[in-house]
Amino acid sequence: KAGVTQTPRYLIKTRGQQVTLSCSPISGHRSVSWYQQTPGQGLQFLFEYFSETQRNKGNFPGRFSGRQFSNSRSEMNVSTLELGDSALYLCASSLDANPNQPQHFGDGTRLSIL
Amino acid sequence: QKEVEQNSGPLSVPEGAIASLNCTYSDRVSQSFFWYRQYSGKSPELIMSIYSNGDKEDGRFTAQLNKASQYVSLLIRDSQPSDSATYLCAVPSSNTGKLIFGQGTTLQVKP
């Protein structure tokens, strides 16, 4: 069974631009969560989607947004990019909205802001 | 108090030894506990899930859960240099349903 697929793997942007990252969950998984990982802050939760609805949101500014489609694929968007947005963005999928289901991560998108 | 706490390390063990990684959590009603391994530059990989008190073994890995003391540990037997990585403990919050990660423990296995 294919794992979680994230595209693109690497991205270079400049300040002020916007970016859209994509995540395709494991087949049959309907919950998708997004995380930001930086060396200093560790894994920070961004948001979680289930059945096209945002169930949880982390403490990030409104520049960070996401959505989920009917096929469970998800996208996240970051507008007005700042240098501090440089990070590894990880998507994880789980079977359903039960928090006791394990999450499985994709390879991530490494975003660099110049 | 952080919701999920781990010693950041590095924890250094010789090849062939047992590595013991610990994690404490604050949510008394948490029901599931996960260990992830993350190699440098890679994404986290789920290696163990544990749901009930006691031990769960999978190959060289053993997860131990003690709900009364609110800690979960990961033992790696016969440690290999390829086990060198950061190990993340994760616990779902019973309030929000979010998966809360510890900061991770870096393990170094020296040949």
Side-chain angles (χ1 to χ4, degrees):
Chain A
K1 184 152 74 166
V4 178
T5 303
Q6 288 188 248
T7 56
R9 291 291 312 279
Y10 303 92
L11 208 46
I12 299 175
K13 292 286 187 179
T14 56
R15 281 181 300 174
Q17 287 186 310
Q18 76 163 14
V19 67
T20 299
L21 311 181
S22 179
C23 172
S24 293
I26 292 171
S27 177
H29 283 197
R30 296 188 295 149
S31 177
V32 173
S33 297
W34 288 90
Y35 298 86
Q36 181 196 66
Q37 189 174 38
T38 57
Q41 297 296 318
L43 266 171
Q44 302 290 310
F45 172 79
L46 282 156
F47 22 67
E48 178 197 0
Y49 287 89
F50 176 74
S51 290
E52 302 177 66
T53 301
Q54 187 180 87
R55 290 188 68 244
N56 273 307
K57 190 176 190 311
N59 296 323
F60 279 82
R63 301 185 296 108
F64 291 81
S65 62
R67 58 178 176 168
Q68 186 181 36
F69 302 95
S70 58
N71 62 357
S72 296
R73 191 177 72 84
S74 177
E75 288 181 348
M76 68 163 280
N77 184 277
V78 189
S79 62
T80 320
L81 287 164
E82 300 177 359
L83 291 177
D85 297 333
S86 293
L88 179 65
Y89 289 87
L90 292 160
C91 167
S93 75
S94 58
L95 199 58
D96 54 37
N98 183 342
N100 297 307
Q101 288 285 345
Q103 293 185 12
H104 300 269
F105 285 86
D107 289 336
T109 293
R110 190 165 295 280
L111 175 64
S112 299
I113 311 301
L114 303 179
Chain B
Q1 181 190 4
K2 288 186 181 176
E3 293 180 86
V4 180
E5 291 203 65
Q6 297 180 255
N7 187 325
S8 61
L11 172 66
S12 183
V13 300
E15 184 175 354
I18 296 175
S20 178
L21 305 160
N22 298 314
C23 170
T24 58
Y25 59 93
S26 60
D27 188 343
R28 285 191 163 276
V29 299
S30 293
Q31 298 179 40
S32 55
F33 307 85
F34 306 103
W35 283 100
Y36 289 84
R37 176 177 63 198
Q38 187 173 25
Y39 292 113
S40 181
K42 302 293 185 183
S43 64
E45 174 193 1
L46 179 70
I47 54 172
M48 288 288 277
S49 306
I50 186 166
Y51 300 93
S52 54
N53 269 339
D55 295 0
K56 178 183 177 183
E57 189 173 315
D58 184 1
R60 296 186 295 113
F61 297 96
T62 299
Q64 298 176 318
L65 175 60
N66 184 321
K67 288 187 177 182
S69 301
Q70 293 175 247
Y71 82 78
V72 56
S73 60
L74 180 70
L75 301 179
I76 307 175
R77 290 183 300 283
D78 188 24
S79 294
Q80 301 296 309
S82 58
D83 295 326
S84 298
T86 296
Y87 289 81
L88 298 161
C89 171
V91 183
S93 165
S94 59
N95 284 336
T96 65
K98 293 186 222 180
L99 191 59
I100 309 298
F101 284 85
Q103 287 290 88
T105 299
T106 299
L107 172 66
Q108 297 173 347
V109 181
K110 297 189 180 298

